[in-house]
Amino acid sequence: MRLVWALCFWMASQVASAQLLAPAQELTESNLDRWMRSGVEMATLAGSVEELFATDEAFSAFEKLTHNEQDRQIDAFLAEKGLSKQADHMIKALGWKSVGDYMRFSARLGNAIAAYFIRSDLGNPTREELNALDGKVDPVILAVSEKDVAFI
């Protein structure tokens, strides 16, 4: 079990430096297992995609897109960088719909882990106590569902 947590923290740290996409898939054991098996290969592609978000404004505009529109932008970027074949091979081999799909799941998992620790530190806080953290903690972390926190 400690190994699983260590791997989760390591993978979350790989994503933590990136600006995260909107969450997509459900947090399940099978998705977590697939995500852990995907680690190094997909993280490399996801890291290259970070160039799309050179500014906060660019990330904000990207975040407002639908998942399909995000995927189209990511695909176009990967094609421009000559990474399309590598990306196609990896997403098929690892079972993701797209690089964006992997990134959105990573974001959801990372946000859930952060929310778990915040809520653990506060000792099962009420909604009012969580609302009091507004401005001190990323609102995305505060908005993580109880279901996602319970998964962690």
Side-chain angles (χ1 to χ4, degrees), residues 15-140:
V15 177
S17 63
Q19 294 178 327
L20 303 176
L21 302 178
Q25 296 187 13
E26 291 294 315
L27 296 182
T28 63
E29 293 290 331
S30 61
N31 284 335
L32 178 61
D33 180 58
R34 179 166 42 113
W35 179 80
M36 290 173 61
R37 286 184 282 111
S38 302
V40 175
E41 296 91 349
M42 292 299 288
T44 301
L45 282 175
S48 68
V49 171
E50 289 178 28
E51 290 180 39
L52 282 171
F53 317 126
T55 65
D56 289 340
E57 293 80 20
F59 178 72
S60 182
F62 182 82
E63 202 173 36
K64 292 175 184 172
L65 299 173
T66 67
H67 292 169
N68 287 336
E69 291 168 329
Q70 289 176 355
D71 289 347
R72 280 194 291 277
Q73 265 197 10
I74 290 170
D75 290 345
F77 175 81
L78 292 172
E80 181 182 303
K81 296 293 183 182
L83 297 171
S84 289
K85 286 184 182 180
Q86 178 185 1
D88 289 343
H89 172 73
M90 279 194 251
I91 61 176
K92 288 176 184 161
L94 298 168
W96 299 100
K97 290 186 279 183
S98 64
V99 173
D101 187 40
Y102 166 82
M103 293 176 73
R104 287 184 290 272
F105 182 82
S106 297
R108 186 168 187 167
L109 179 61
N111 291 340
I113 290 170
Y116 171 84
F117 282 111
I118 288 171
R119 293 175 189 186
S120 294
D121 287 347
L122 296 175
N124 200 18
T126 64
R127 179 52 51 194
E128 292 78 29
E129 290 170 323
L130 288 174
N131 289 342
L133 294 175
D134 194 27
K136 298 175 186 162
V137 176
D138 187 332
V140 172

